[in-house]
Amino acid sequence: MKKLIFVALAIFFFACSGNKETKFSLIDHIPASTEVFLFSEDLSSSLSELQKNDFLSKSNFSFKQKLNKQLAFFKHLELKQPAGISFSNLDSETFTYILITKKDSSLLQLDSLKNKSVETIKENGISFRKIGIDDQKFFFREKGSSAFISNSKQSILDIDDQEKLLEDENFKKAFNASDASKLSVILRHGTTQGLNEIFKKLHFTGFKNFASWSSLDLDITKSFIKINGLSISENTDQIASPFSGTQARNIESAKVCPEDFLSMSAIGFSSFRQIQDNISKARKDSTRVEYPKILDHTREISLIQLKEGTTLVLNAIEIEAAREKLAGMGSVSENFRGYDIIELEQKIDFQPALNSLMHTGEFTFYTVIEHFVIFSQDAETLKKHISDFLNSDIIAEKSYYSEVMASLSSESSMIFITRLPEFIDSQDKHNKTSLKFEKNSLAALQFINEDGYSHIHGVFSNSKEAAMASNGAEQAASFKLDHPLITDPLFFRNHRTDQMDIAVQDENNQLYLLSNKGNIFWKEKLDSKITSPVYQVDLFKNGNLQLAFSTGYNMEVLDRNGNKVKGYPIKFNSPLTQPLSVFDYDNNRNYRFVLTQDKKVYMVGPKGKAIKGFDFNAASSEIVKAPKHIRLGNKDYILIAEKSGKLNILSRQGNIRVPLSQTFDFSENEWYGHDNKFISTAPTTDLIEISQQGKVSKKDLELAENNRIVANDRHLVYLNENLLNIDGKSINLDFGLYTDPQLFQFRKRTLIALTDTQTQKVYVFNDKAELLDGFPVYGTSKVDIANADLDSRLEMLVKGEENEILLYKL
């Protein structure tokens, strides 16, 4: 019986020993020096997916070079089992790695290799092999059910030394939290200087002490790398602790962040006082750090790096309460586009309060946009924020940004967002040619604190679709004159360069001609304000263009050098009562300049002499609109409206061409040719249509007083209070004070523009009633649109501040 028991125990012992020996565990032999551990159930496939990523496959950087050099032999491995790679000494020129996987006879495929060497080594009772393939050497060992490959003999030997293996409960938690179906990475914080430096450049100094370990699961596609995971802390002074007892918040600073930002680092919380208490507790310091009390009225703090400088953005819980905390600390330095820029009497230093979270510095100026208080070291950087906000040129408005943010949680304790090509270029000029980013590439990394853990979500987007996405309207230039403008800026073609120059008049009646880069060619003093459009004409039919316009008493024609053309000005003793009209019946440059004084109409030719054969000399009552030339089909008509309500529809010779038996109650709108009819509106309710046979019809459009229309052959646009109608498609605008809608026709493109002078916003729509990308933008006047510099994009001119001309690209 005793022999039977002994035999049974022996069988049981050896069976258990055998089970223990054959059981494979990926984390039983990880070196204690591990800085990064990368692992997957199918490591070969995961690494292959990495290589298919456009950015990683096309870019070249030092760490990739080191990996490719030291792990080139991987192409000779058959990794059929779960595997992981431990990396140590990553900051050194030659890092240390050890591959851990389940023992498999097909792991190393050496038989077919010619340039190989295999040497069996026994050391300290341990047998392993030294293998050379081409110019690479590594060590291979099998132990129990595990196989190991390393570039370090010592790492192979240390597998049997329990004291040199990683025994860390937080690491195990991180490992167990990973997704077995993903390629996963576990990072040890504080060991890799490269990562620490990256976050320092993001103004976050706490990455080294952020947590003990972070576990990240990767999803990799051709254009994206997405990560999800968590960070595990072991000490109360690590990064999770400041957010204990506070709630994550929706980070909204992107609403005032210029699209061309470099980086944005932000924290969100429900109580800044709680954060301060947590920091004091972690420091074991009962002394409360004094901080600007505006932070008590804040739910989010963001640090935004721009090319122009760095700004601190506070998202206020209640903006008036935040304003009160700043009251009396400074005075208005200037008002820029309706926003006060305050210069502080003493700089505000947020650094003591935020020292463990971000590096902020001191600030001298601030402004308020909606519920955001924005601080900067100079006023010009604040102007950048204001301009881009008013122009909707902010990152929150961009579709490629929204796509990236959709991969993250809606609320954050901490978030880092970078515009990668620009950010990398600003930090390291030498890498810009080796890193192959698409335009509009973004990276975002988000942390959400919860019960001692920080959940991590991140995304790197390098999408060609995002690169091709239109950025919409963007301000290209701003020019300021010495005095306020009294006319709207307009384009004037430069016949020498075939580009567009800019004409505008200031309050001193100086007419300027500027290049589209803002250089002043000349300025000419006029007798009074320009009262008409500025027409570009070619009087001598040689391609050289002139500017034609009327002022109070004169009709002027200037050449592009600012000189008066012979025969001009035409001067009158009494004022012109309507703006100059210019007719070119057959587009053959046989111009007719039409001038009006009360009831009289004067028509002069290119040399400034009266045209013979135009028999309409005077109306029966005062003329209330500038005479208008309309061509319907192959017929020319001249329309002259009188105060009595009479509408004269004349031939070129000034004879009645379309007799009308009724009079009209004219609105302030012009007459237009549309759909082979003459159209305008009554002051209220009706659209008036007149056929070429003189038949009058009315359509009740329920037009309100001060309705505005503009039309051409194919398009009819009208503005009725806040309702804009484009070819029957209606758009509800915000209530405001709008300029008359303007219609611009290009070869295959029709644009409709109008400006709300109350909110100082310019809107541009296409003929499908769709607002163009990037609009509304800031502006205070009517606009002019043309291709000003011969590239593929149109440009738009508009008045900004009282002495400012703005140039936008569409």
Side-chain angles (χ1 to χ4, degrees):
M1 176 63 81
K2 287 182 179 181
K3 288 183 178 180
L4 288 174
I5 293 174
F6 177 78
V7 171
L9 287 172
I11 293 172
F12 178 76
F13 174 78
F14 285 111
C16 289
S17 299
N19 288 339
K20 183 175 182 180
E21 184 67 23
T22 58
K23 183 180 179 182
F24 171 73
S25 175
L26 193 57
I27 62 171
D28 280 351
H29 300 93
I30 297 176
S33 60
T34 297
E35 297 171 358
V36 174
F37 187 61
L38 182 147
F39 59 101
S40 171
E41 288 190 337
D42 187 352
L43 191 59
S44 291
S45 296
S46 296
L47 294 177
S48 176
E49 289 301 313
L50 271 178
Q51 292 173 351
K52 292 177 184 177
N53 180 267
D54 274 345
F55 171 75
L56 294 176
S57 63
K58 296 176 181 178
S59 295
N60 195 15
F61 45 93
S62 59
F63 187 66
K64 177 182 175 181
Q65 291 172 346
K66 288 196 290 185
L67 279 176
N68 288 341
K69 181 179 179 181
Q70 297 203 46
L71 302 181
F73 70 90
F74 264 48
K75 61 187 176 185
H76 303 300
L77 299 183
E78 288 285 341
L79 283 170
K80 300 177 181 178
Q81 306 293 338
I85 311 175
S86 163
F87 294 97
S88 307
N89 304 315
L90 285 170
D91 290 329
S92 65
E93 185 61 32
T94 304
F95 57 79
T96 301
Y97 69 84
I98 182 167
L99 169 71
I100 305 167
T101 187
K102 189 174 182 180
K103 185 166 66 175
D104 188 330
S105 59
S106 62
L107 176 61
L108 272 175
Q109 301 293 314
L110 302 178
D111 292 342
S112 60
L113 297 180
K114 294 181 180 179
N115 299 322
K116 68 175 186 292
S117 62
V118 180
E119 176 186 356
T120 300
I121 301 173
K122 284 190 177 182
E123 190 170 324
N124 299 333
I126 300 171
S127 180
F128 55 94
R129 285 181 282 173
K130 180 180 179 181
I131 299 173
I133 300 176
D134 296 325
D135 59 348
Q136 276 198 307
K137 291 182 172 54
F138 57 89
F139 301 92
F140 175 72
R141 179 185 175 188
E142 293 178 329
K143 178 185 178 182
S145 60
S146 301
F148 308 90
I149 297 175
S150 179
N151 62 343
S152 166
K153 182 175 74 171
Q154 191 60 49
S155 295
I156 291 291
L157 296 173
D158 287 345
I159 291 169
D160 292 324
D161 188 343
Q162 200 67 31
E163 292 184 358
K164 293 184 178 180
L165 298 181
L166 186 61
E167 295 290 340
D168 187 310
E169 290 302 315
N170 286 316
F171 174 84
K172 292 178 181 178
K173 289 178 183 178
F175 181 86
N176 292 330
S178 63
D179 186 338
S181 65
K182 308 285 187 184
L183 175 63
S184 298
V185 180
I186 299 178
L187 304 174
R188 187 203 295 263
H189 287 267
T191 57
T192 307
Q193 189 61 28
L195 281 174
N196 296 339
E197 289 300 320
I198 289 173
F199 281 91
K200 282 183 181 179
K201 291 172 182 177
L202 293 169
H203 290 272
F204 175 51
T205 58
F207 183 80
K208 181 176 181 179
N209 197 40
F210 181 81
S212 300
W213 297 91
S214 288
S215 173
L216 311 174
D217 298 322
L218 280 61
D219 284 300
I220 304 158
T221 66
K222 187 176 179 66
S223 302
F224 286 85
I225 298 176
K226 298 179 182 180
I227 65 173
N228 292 283
L230 54 80
S231 291
I232 298 172
S233 303
E234 61 183 353
N235 302 320
T236 58
D237 62 344
Q238 289 182 326
I239 198 63
S241 61
F243 297 98
S244 178
T246 69
Q247 296 177 357
R249 285 287 182 256
N250 182 18
I251 301 300
E252 299 182 300
S253 295
K255 295 178 181 178
V256 291
C257 177
E259 185 202 9
D260 60 351
F261 78 114
L262 301 177
S263 70
M264 181 172 75
S265 306
I267 58 174
F269 46 84
S270 54
S271 169
F272 189 79
R273 182 177 292 275
Q274 182 65 57
I275 284 182
Q276 286 298 295
D277 288 344
N278 291 340
I279 292 173
S280 296
K281 184 178 179 181
R283 291 173 177 168
K284 299 179 180 178
D285 184 357
S286 60
T287 305
R288 183 185 296 275
V289 175
E290 289 298 320
Y291 59 87
K293 296 308 176 189
I294 189 175
L295 296 179
D296 285 331
H297 302 277
T298 301
R299 56 192 163 195
E300 168 194 345
I301 303 171
S302 297
L303 201 67
I304 298 175
Q305 290 187 69
L306 305 173
K307 296 173 187 175
E308 295 78 4
T310 301
T311 57
L312 185 77
V313 179
L314 305 182
N315 185 355
I317 300 168
E318 173 52 56
I319 191 59
E320 291 308 318
R323 284 181 186 271
E324 287 180 11
K325 294 301 177 183
L326 294 170
M329 297 176 66
S331 58
V332 177
S333 170
E334 61 180 301
N335 184 281
F336 181 73
R337 300 185 181 178
Y339 291 85
D340 286 339
I341 295 177
I342 311 298
E343 183 173 7
L344 295 161
E345 293 177 359
Q346 292 185 335
K347 294 182 179 181
I348 293 184
D349 188 2
F350 292 93
Q351 192 58 48
L354 299 172
N355 193 49
S356 62
L357 299 173
M358 59 177 64
H359 180 72
T360 61
E362 297 178 328
F363 300 99
T364 307
F365 295 87
Y366 78 87
T367 192
V368 177
I369 300 178
E370 293 188 342
H371 51 88
F372 300 96
V373 185
I374 307 175
F375 293 87
S376 178
Q377 295 173 349
D378 60 85
E380 291 305 312
T381 308
L382 294 181
K383 291 179 183 179
K384 164 75 172 173
H385 270 276
I386 294 168
S387 296
D388 287 10
F389 174 76
L390 290 173
N391 293 337
S392 301
D393 195 17
I394 51 176
I395 192 63
E397 294 285 342
K398 307 305 174 183
S399 59
Y400 61 88
Y401 172 80
S402 301
E403 184 178 0
V404 165
M405 299 308 289
S407 300
L408 308 180
S409 174
S410 59
E411 296 182 334
S412 306
S413 298
M414 182 175 290
I415 192 168
F416 303 94
I417 307 168
T418 61
R419 191 175 181 85
L420 279 167
E422 293 82 357
F423 177 75
I424 296 295
D425 187 34
S426 72
Q427 302 297 325
D428 187 353
K429 302 291 184 182
H430 302 293
N431 273 336
K432 61 182 179 180
T433 57
S434 58
L435 300 179
K436 304 301 181 183
F437 293 109
E438 298 287 351
K439 182 183 176 184
N440 299 330
S441 292
L442 294 178
L445 187 63
Q446 173 190 57
F447 301 90
I448 307 164
N449 183 62
E450 185 180 12
D451 300 330
Y453 295 88
S454 282
H455 297 275
I456 304 173
H457 307 288
V459 60
F460 164 47
S461 168
N462 195 47
S463 167
K464 288 185 178 179
E465 289 75 17
M468 289 166 29
S470 171
N471 292 330
E474 56 183 342
Q475 184 177 313
S478 169
F479 317 126
K480 285 193 175 182
L481 302 182
D482 293 334
H483 302 283
L485 312 180
I486 59 170
T487 65
D488 300 335
L490 55 89
F491 285 119
F492 175 69
R493 183 169 297 283
N494 186 328
H495 57 257
R496 296 168 181 166
T497 65
D498 212 28
Q499 298 192 39
M500 289 290 186
D501 296 330
I502 302 166
V504 71
Q505 187 182 23
D506 71 14
E507 65 178 4
N508 294 330
N509 295 325
Q510 295 274 9
L511 174 63
Y512 294 78
L513 188 69
L514 303 88
S515 74
N516 56 33
K517 300 294 187 289
N519 301 315
I520 297 176
F521 292 128
W522 52 260
K523 55 184 177 181
E524 176 71 18
K525 179 82 169 180
L526 304 178
D527 67 301
S528 59
K529 180 182 177 181
I530 295 173
T531 58
S532 72
V534 177
Y535 298 93
Q536 55 184 26
V537 295
D538 180 3
L539 296 187
F540 306 108
K541 300 184 180 181
N542 61 2
N544 296 344
L545 300 179
Q546 300 84 37
L547 301 94
F549 52 89
S550 61
T551 61
Y553 287 81
N554 297 347
M555 182 208 156
E556 301 270 6
V557 180
L558 304 179
D559 66 19
R560 72 152 289 101
N561 295 319
N563 302 315
K564 297 180 187 298
V565 173
K566 186 178 179 180
Y568 298 92
I570 300 173
K571 296 185 177 182
F572 294 84
N573 293 325
S574 55
L576 298 169
T577 56
Q578 294 298 327
L580 168 71
S581 297
V582 178
F583 301 164
D584 185 5
Y585 296 126
D586 299 311
N587 292 321
N588 60 4
R589 294 173 286 184
N590 289 327
Y591 299 105
R592 300 295 184 262
F593 299 116
V594 184
L595 299 152
T596 305
Q597 280 185 317
D598 296 325
K599 300 178 184 180
K600 294 183 178 181
V601 176
Y602 303 93
M603 184 178 287
V604 298
K607 295 182 179 180
K609 304 297 183 181
I611 295 291
K612 294 180 180 180
F614 182 72
D615 298 328
F616 188 89
N617 294 320
S620 57
S621 62
E622 181 184 349
I623 296 170
V624 293
K625 297 179 185 300
K628 183 77 176 280
H629 169 241
I630 294 176
R631 189 176 183 92
L632 297 180
N634 60 357
K635 295 181 180 179
D636 293 296
Y637 302 89
I638 299 171
L639 278 67
I640 299 177
E642 301 184 27
K643 188 175 183 180
S644 63
K646 182 180 179 181
L647 179 64
N648 302 281
I649 304 181
L650 311 174
S651 66
R652 290 187 186 185
Q653 293 75 33
N655 303 314
I656 296 295
R657 187 162 195 172
V658 179
L660 297 172
S661 59
Q662 68 181 82
T663 60
F664 302 92
D665 188 8
F666 297 119
S667 70
E668 293 186 17
N669 291 312
E670 294 183 30
W671 286 88
Y672 297 95
H674 175 69
D675 195 23
N676 281 319
K677 300 184 186 73
F678 309 102
I679 66 167
S680 188
T681 66
T684 59
T685 305
D686 294 332
L687 176 74
I688 303 171
E689 296 180 329
I690 302 174
S691 73
Q692 296 178 64
Q693 291 73 42
K695 181 181 179 181
V696 178
S697 60
K698 296 182 179 180
K699 288 183 180 179
D700 185 357
L701 298 181
E702 298 182 353
L703 298 175
E705 191 175 359
N706 295 322
N707 63 80
R708 294 288 183 268
I709 72 164
V710 64
N712 60 18
D713 292 345
R714 295 186 294 120
H715 302 288
L716 170 61
V717 178
Y718 63 85
L719 177 67
N720 188 28
E721 293 184 332
N722 70 314
L723 183 69
L724 180 66
N725 188 288
I726 300 173
D727 295 338
K729 307 175 190 72
S730 294
I731 307 145
N732 279 304
L733 303 172
D734 294 335
F735 284 98
L737 298 175
Y738 290 94
T739 60
D740 295 353
Q742 297 171 264
L743 187 58
F744 296 90
Q745 190 71 56
F746 304 95
R747 288 181 182 176
K748 295 182 179 180
R749 195 176 185 189
T750 301
L751 299 177
I752 297 93
L754 72 170
T755 300
D756 182 354
T757 57
Q758 184 171 299
T759 60
Q760 302 178 334
K761 292 181 178 180
V762 180
Y763 298 82
V764 178
F765 299 87
N766 62 23
D767 55 0
K768 297 178 182 178
E770 299 166 334
L771 187 67
L772 299 193
D773 288 342
F775 283 93
V777 298
Y778 172 74
T780 60
S781 70
K782 284 187 173 183
V783 307
D784 197 12
I785 299 176
N787 189 339
D789 54 9
L790 305 183
D791 63 6
S792 60
R793 297 174 69 179
L794 295 173
E795 280 75 30
M796 182 182 79
L797 277 181
V798 67
K799 181 181 173 183
E801 295 183 84
E802 62 178 8
N803 66 332
E804 182 182 35
I805 301 168
L806 299 176
L807 180 69
Y808 290 92
K809 281 190 172 291
L810 306 190

